[in-house]
Amino acid sequence: MRPHLAIARWTEQHEVATNAVVVSVLMFFTVLGSVSGGWGQFIGAALVGVPVYLRIGRPVTAALLVALATVISTVALGVWPVATGFWAVPMVIHRVAARSQRSHRLGVLGLALVVALVVSLVSPLWSEPMIAPGSIAFGGTDWWMAVLVMTPFVWLVVITSYLLGDVKRVRWEREQAEAQRAQALADRAEALAAWAHRLEIERDQEVRLAAQDERTRIAREMHDVVAHSLSVVITQADGARYASAADPTAAVETLERISTTARGSLTEMRRLLGVLRTDDAQQVTPVPGTADVPDLVQGVRQSGLPVDLTLPEDPEALSRLPAGASLALYRLVQEGLTNVLKHCPKATGASVVLRSGHGWAEAQVVNDGLLAAQASQAAQDSRSANRHGPSDDATHRPIPSSGQGLRGLAERLGVYGGQLEATPSRDNADQWVIRGWVTTDDQRQDLP
């Protein structure tokens, strides 16, 4: 329950109890004091006073009952309970004016004025013996003087009681409006606080999601950079280690290529981590794309793996790709060649094909080596056959894999409406094909 409603209910209950005490005290002094005037005076006083108990909860009903009791006492019983009416009528009129509707207020006010006129007209007939026997005659001058004096006096009491109640009603309505306004402001403040709390929670969630996405992106970039570079370095190091036994001078050139590859990888890692350490725009370098695929292929060729590169007939076709889509295709080629070095030690060559069409672009990497499982089994067989000296197979031990490369590629391509396929070749089971494409606009009907 709202606070102002609870206070209003408590106030009404308090008023009911207070009214009962006040009316009981007034009834004790006025009704019991009227016994000396006879049973008619006693009954008339009781009839006028009892309805006042209802004035808090049902003020209009109380006013109607008081008016009826006054008419009955005056006309039927021939008594004038002026002592009881002096407090009963103002109390009822005041409550009606303070709490009832406008139509009820005006109706009760009119009824009170009419009843007051009736009492004024009738009262001299039975009050004559109380003043002076035979001094007031009905319709005479004294009778009219009594009516003209008593009627305005009673009306003044009724109207004054009504106006005081009306003033209290206006003040009470103003207090109620202020209480409701304060409650509305409190509810609005509570809603704003809840909304602000919800926004804070959503902001924290967005920050966590953004941080998670950034960690995923960084992990993906680090995997692409480190896995490729280290695969080339390991392949070259294995070759140099065994080539130096026959020709020590051959190791110098191989070690130089290893140094160049490692330095390039270190530079790229520094550029990537530099973006995390500063917001300075000068520290942000362009990400690689399809235009860098020839350099990537050349680096793999230097590691000893022959790679054929096929570019689109239109040299500008790939340059028009969005930066993200171009990076995704670059990473596909990088991952494909890295997997050849890591998992296909029997490979004698690989081919890279870049194609583009209306609304799409594609990259494909094919190698003619063994599959990863076959390569691993071949390496285990070679180690078990010759434990005392290196063999040709031992120079191509498979490199451990995290299994995240292809999964990351699929996510990259999916962002740009593409897909990834990594399956054995349909024509040759000893060939492994990695193929992926991206869409460059909404016209996807021409996808390969």
Side-chain angles (χ1 to χ4, degrees):
M1 182 183 296
R2 294 185 175 182
H4 72 278
L5 295 178
I7 293 175
R9 177 172 296 183
W10 178 86
T11 302
E12 183 176 356
Q13 294 175 352
H14 178 71
E15 288 181 347
V16 171
T18 303
N19 178 75
V21 174
V22 173
V23 173
S24 298
V25 173
L26 294 175
M27 289 278 289
F28 178 78
F29 289 104
T30 57
V31 176
L32 294 182
S34 63
V35 175
S36 59
W39 286 104
Q41 189 74 18
F42 177 81
I43 295 174
L47 290 177
V48 174
V50 170
V52 185
Y53 283 104
L54 303 176
R55 77 180 188 95
I56 300 299
R58 298 180 177 180
V60 176
T61 302
L64 295 177
L65 292 178
V66 169
L68 180 61
T70 301
V71 173
I72 292 176
S73 300
T74 305
V75 177
L77 299 179
V79 298
W80 187 19
V82 63
T84 305
F86 185 75
W87 57 265
V89 173
M91 290 178 66
V92 173
I93 297 297
H94 181 275
R95 184 66 183 185
V96 170
R99 288 292 187 269
S100 299
Q101 301 178 4
R102 186 173 184 275
S103 58
H104 294 167
R105 296 197 305 269
L106 296 178
V108 170
L109 176 61
L111 178 63
L113 296 177
V114 172
V115 172
L117 179 60
V118 172
V119 172
S120 299
L121 294 174
V122 177
S123 61
L125 296 178
W126 50 261
S127 63
E128 178 184 353
M130 298 176 56
I131 300 175
S135 61
I136 298 179
F138 180 78
T141 302
D142 295 336
W143 182 86
W144 280 107
M145 290 295 296
V147 170
L148 293 177
V149 171
M150 183 178 297
T151 301
F153 175 76
V154 176
W155 281 359
L156 179 63
V157 173
V158 171
I159 294 175
T160 301
S161 302
Y162 180 87
L163 293 178
L164 292 176
D166 191 70
V167 171
K168 183 177 180 180
R169 176 186 58 80
V170 172
R171 184 170 61 250
W172 178 78
E173 289 178 351
R174 185 182 299 113
E175 292 176 354
Q176 288 293 106
E178 292 177 354
Q180 293 177 358
R181 188 181 301 110
Q183 184 63 39
L185 291 176
D187 294 342
R188 183 177 300 178
E190 184 178 356
L192 290 176
W195 182 59
H197 181 65
R198 183 167 59 253
L199 288 180
E200 184 178 357
I201 294 177
E202 292 178 356
R203 183 198 62 187
D204 294 340
Q205 291 177 348
E206 290 178 356
V207 170
R208 287 194 297 268
L209 291 176
Q212 183 177 358
D213 292 342
E214 185 65 14
R215 287 193 297 268
T216 302
R217 186 187 68 83
I218 294 172
R220 185 182 297 152
E221 296 291 340
M222 293 293 291
H223 171 271
D224 294 338
V225 173
V226 176
H228 174 74
S229 300
L230 290 183
S231 298
V232 173
V233 169
I234 292 173
T235 302
Q236 293 176 344
D238 287 341
R241 181 159 54 93
Y242 294 101
S244 61
D247 184 7
T249 59
V252 176
E253 182 180 355
T254 304
L255 292 175
E256 183 178 356
R257 288 198 298 267
I258 292 175
S259 176
T260 302
T261 303
R263 291 178 185 274
S265 176
L266 181 59
T267 301
E268 191 170 355
M269 288 180 59
R270 284 176 176 174
R271 291 175 179 175
L272 178 62
L273 296 177
V275 177
L276 302 179
R277 295 193 183 103
T278 179
D279 293 332
D280 189 358
Q282 296 180 355
Q283 298 294 331
V284 180
T285 58
V287 295
T290 52
D292 300 303
V293 170
D295 295 335
L296 176 65
V297 171
Q298 182 62 29
V300 176
R301 287 171 181 170
Q302 292 177 356
S303 67
L305 178 66
V307 181
D308 295 331
L309 176 61
T310 303
L311 298 176
E313 296 180 359
D314 182 8
E316 300 295 330
L318 296 177
S319 63
R320 293 191 293 267
L321 288 174
S326 181
L327 174 61
L329 294 181
Y330 175 86
R331 294 305 186 194
L332 186 146
V333 175
Q334 187 181 50
E335 180 68 19
L337 295 178
T338 300
N339 288 341
V340 175
L341 296 174
K342 291 169 58 176
H343 307 304
C344 300
K346 291 293 186 179
T348 61
S351 63
V352 176
V353 179
L354 296 179
R355 298 193 302 150
S356 64
H358 183 60
W360 59 270
E362 179 192 54
Q364 178 177 283
V365 179
V366 181
N367 74 86
D368 61 353
L370 296 176
L371 301 181
Q374 295 171 326
S376 178
Q377 184 63 37
Q380 294 177 2
D381 294 342
S382 65
R383 285 196 297 270
S384 62
N386 187 357
R387 297 181 180 274
H388 301 287
S391 65
D392 182 63
D393 291 337
T395 65
H396 299 284
R397 294 191 299 271
I399 303 172
S401 172
S402 64
Q404 301 297 325
L406 295 179
R407 185 177 305 159
L409 276 177
E411 294 176 357
R412 285 181 184 271
L413 298 174
V415 172
Y416 297 94
Q419 292 183 1
L420 175 70
E421 293 180 357
T423 60
S425 174
R426 298 176 181 176
D427 301 328
N428 188 350
D430 290 335
Q431 288 184 343
W432 188 261
V433 179
I434 297 179
R435 174 176 175 264
W437 64 87
V438 295
T439 58
T440 57
D441 53 33
D442 295 335
Q443 300 178 9
R444 302 181 181 178
Q445 65 274 15
D446 296 333
L447 282 175

